């Protein structure tokens, strides 16, 4: 790998992938949406290319003279006023990128999917890359688009494109400027907006480990394979208390909310967002339904095949909280 194009380069994970590549002395082209803030790339020695993945000619031109593609550009949202955009970007945008990669004879493609595109094992069992997707009726546009676009990407891998899929879990760390829904969880817990927990669990991971996993996948990943980039499986209750403890707020009183009651409450918040505020709610019934499962995943494959090492999660959360404080999110 000598020169790489990173789509979504100014985003949370994308900007960390750019830094990981530069640390390995790999030349980087960063694809930037027109008008997109590029603060996460300030001071980095990258070639910025303005283009939209919905513009096939723009992406095809951006891929010229590179040998490796990291496709991270996607919409990650729990609520949108118009959901059509998530299908355009996450599906048609990905098609454009992959067809252009074929046309430009790109040597290696790392396709960023999500653990959302992998099935959920029953109870507290741990899912692997082989756990069949089983969330067709969930009603989450994000989850569905990530799964469908992943399947299309795997189709390209079966037809001679050297493509590897990575499936990040819930990443935390610095430079989460939007912030992502994942980062917003920390903000809501520490600020006191979120004072409850409920049944279920998640897999959390340092964003720098996710970025390193991307580069390792380009170097060592097998064509057509999935690699879960995760770390610690933790219940919602334990995660909430861990965040509060790191933020020195361990004495805060929390309420154990039944999932049905929480879904009713978030239905009201969603209606308010849909018709009055036009801003994302704290959560939605679909999000509660999804996360009330134990979203536990096994990253052994990435560790053994790619050589991925993992950062202690307490360190990751502490850095994320401090960064949110320093940048006036808290």
């Amino acid at each position: 790998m000598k020169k790489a194009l990173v789509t979504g380069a100014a985003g949370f994970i994308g900007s960390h992938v750019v830094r990981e590549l530069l640390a390995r002395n790999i030349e980087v082209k960063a694809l930037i949406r027109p008008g997109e803030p590029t603060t996460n790339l300030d001071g980095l020695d990258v070639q910025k290319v303005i283009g939209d993945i919905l513009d096939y000619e723009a992406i095809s031109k951006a891929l010229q003279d590179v040998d490796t593609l990291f496709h991270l550009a996607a919409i990650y949202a729990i609520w949108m006023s118009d959901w059509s955009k998530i299908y355009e970007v996450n599906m048609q945008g990905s098609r454009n990128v992959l067809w252009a990669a074929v046309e430009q004879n790109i040597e290696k493609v790392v396709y960023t999917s999500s653990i959302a595109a992998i099935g959920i094992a029953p109870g507290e069992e741990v899912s692997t890359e082989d756990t069949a997707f089983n969330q067709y009726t969930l009603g989450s546009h994000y989850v569905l688009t990530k799964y469908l676009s992943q399947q299309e990407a795997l189709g390209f891998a079966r037809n001679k494109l050297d493509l590897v899929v990575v499936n990040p879990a819930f990443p935390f760390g610095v430079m989460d400027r939007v912030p992502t829904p994942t980062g917003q969880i920390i903000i809501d817990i520490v600020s006191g907006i979120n004072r409850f927990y409920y049944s279920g669990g998640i897999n959390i991971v340092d964003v720098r480990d996710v970025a390193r996993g991307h580069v390792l996948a380009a170097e060592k990943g097998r064509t057509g394979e999935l690699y879960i980039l995760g770390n610690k499986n933790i219940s919602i209750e334990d995660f909430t208390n861990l965040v509060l403890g790191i933020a020195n707020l361990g004495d805060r009183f929390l309420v154990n909310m039944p999932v049905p009651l929480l879904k009713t409450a978030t239905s009201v918040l969603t209606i308010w967002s849909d018709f009055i505020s036009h801003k994302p709610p704290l959560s939605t019934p679909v999000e509660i339904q999804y996360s009330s499962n134990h979203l536990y995943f096994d990253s052994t494959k990435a560790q053994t095949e790619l050589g991925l090492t993992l950062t202690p999660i307490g360190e990751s959360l502490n850095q994320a909280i401090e960064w949110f404080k320093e940048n006036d999110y808290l």
Side-chain angles (χ1 to χ4, degrees):
M1 178 170 35
K2 296 180 180 179
K3 187 172 184 179
L5 174 71
V6 180
T7 71
F12 181 41
I13 299 177
S15 59
H16 284 278
V17 171
V18 169
R19 282 173 163 75
E20 183 68 24
L21 289 168
L22 293 176
R24 296 169 183 248
N25 296 315
I26 296 166
E27 192 175 351
V28 177
K29 268 189 178 182
L31 187 70
I32 311 295
R33 284 184 295 107
E36 182 180 12
T38 59
T39 309
N40 278 350
L41 301 178
D42 285 354
L44 300 183
D45 183 17
V46 299
Q47 179 185 350
K48 295 177 183 176
V49 180
I50 306 301
D52 193 313
I53 62 172
L54 294 176
D55 182 345
Y56 182 83
E57 295 304 322
I59 188 68
S60 184
K61 184 177 180 181
L63 280 168
Q64 293 175 3
D65 77 354
V66 305
D67 53 64
T68 306
L69 165 65
F70 293 87
H71 178 46
L72 293 96
I75 293 176
Y76 174 25
I78 64 168
W79 177 90
M80 297 180 71
S81 58
D82 178 7
W83 285 107
S84 64
K85 191 68 174 178
I86 201 169
Y87 287 89
E88 292 174 5
V89 172
N90 290 4
M91 296 190 67
Q92 185 57 51
S94 291
R95 291 188 197 106
N96 289 344
V97 171
L98 296 179
W99 276 117
V102 172
E103 181 184 65
Q104 296 296 330
N105 296 312
I106 299 302
E107 295 176 14
K108 189 79 174 189
V109 177
V110 177
Y111 186 89
T112 307
S113 183
S114 166
I115 54 168
I118 295 175
I120 301 173
E124 296 187 29
E125 293 182 26
V126 177
S127 296
T128 70
E129 290 84 354
D130 295 324
T131 305
F133 182 77
N134 54 5
Q135 297 300 303
Y136 294 102
T137 61
L138 174 65
S140 169
H141 298 286
Y142 172 72
V143 169
L144 188 58
T145 58
K146 293 307 289 184
Y147 171 69
L148 293 175
S149 60
Q150 173 181 281
Q151 294 309 102
E152 291 198 31
L154 291 172
F156 277 85
R158 288 190 293 269
N159 286 276
K160 308 300 184 182
L161 182 62
D162 189 355
L163 178 145
V164 176
V165 175
V166 290
N167 301 81
F170 293 83
F172 295 95
V174 302
M175 299 191 303
D176 191 356
R177 296 187 185 278
V178 173
T180 62
T182 306
Q184 190 65 48
I185 295 173
I186 290 182
I187 295 171
D188 291 342
I189 291 172
V190 176
S191 65
I193 294 175
N194 182 353
R195 292 177 177 267
F196 58 84
Y197 63 90
Y198 53 98
S199 63
I202 56 176
N203 183 290
I204 54 181
V205 62
D206 192 300
V207 68
R208 296 168 300 181
D209 297 344
V210 172
R212 191 165 59 257
H214 277 71
V215 179
L216 289 170
E219 295 174 344
K220 303 178 182 180
R222 292 182 288 129
T223 303
E225 292 292 318
L226 276 61
Y227 294 92
I228 292 171
L229 305 180
N231 186 352
K232 183 178 180 62
N233 292 311
I234 187 170
S235 70
I236 299 294
E237 178 182 5
D238 288 345
F239 174 73
T240 303
N241 284 317
L242 178 60
V243 170
L244 290 174
I246 292 172
N248 296 315
L249 298 170
D251 57 348
R252 180 176 291 173
F253 178 75
L254 297 173
V255 178
N256 184 0
M257 290 280 281
V259 170
L261 179 59
L262 202 51
K263 289 170 70 175
T264 300
T266 53
S267 293
V268 175
L269 295 177
T270 303
I271 292 171
W272 180 270
S273 296
D274 288 340
F275 298 103
I276 299 175
S277 72
H278 304 294
K279 295 180 180 180
L282 178 64
S283 190
T284 68
V286 170
E287 189 70 10
I288 296 299
Q289 178 63 39
Y290 184 63
S291 58
S292 64
N293 294 291
H294 287 86
L295 305 176
Y296 291 166
F297 293 84
D298 184 357
S299 61
T300 299
K301 184 177 178 181
Q303 294 179 61
T304 56
E305 289 194 18
L306 306 182
L308 178 64
T309 56
L310 300 171
T311 305
I313 205 62
E315 177 183 330
S316 311
L317 290 173
N318 180 66
Q319 291 180 355
I321 292 169
E322 289 304 312
W323 187 87
F324 282 133
K325 287 179 179 178
E326 292 168 3
N327 289 273
D328 299 324
Y329 292 84
L330 291 169

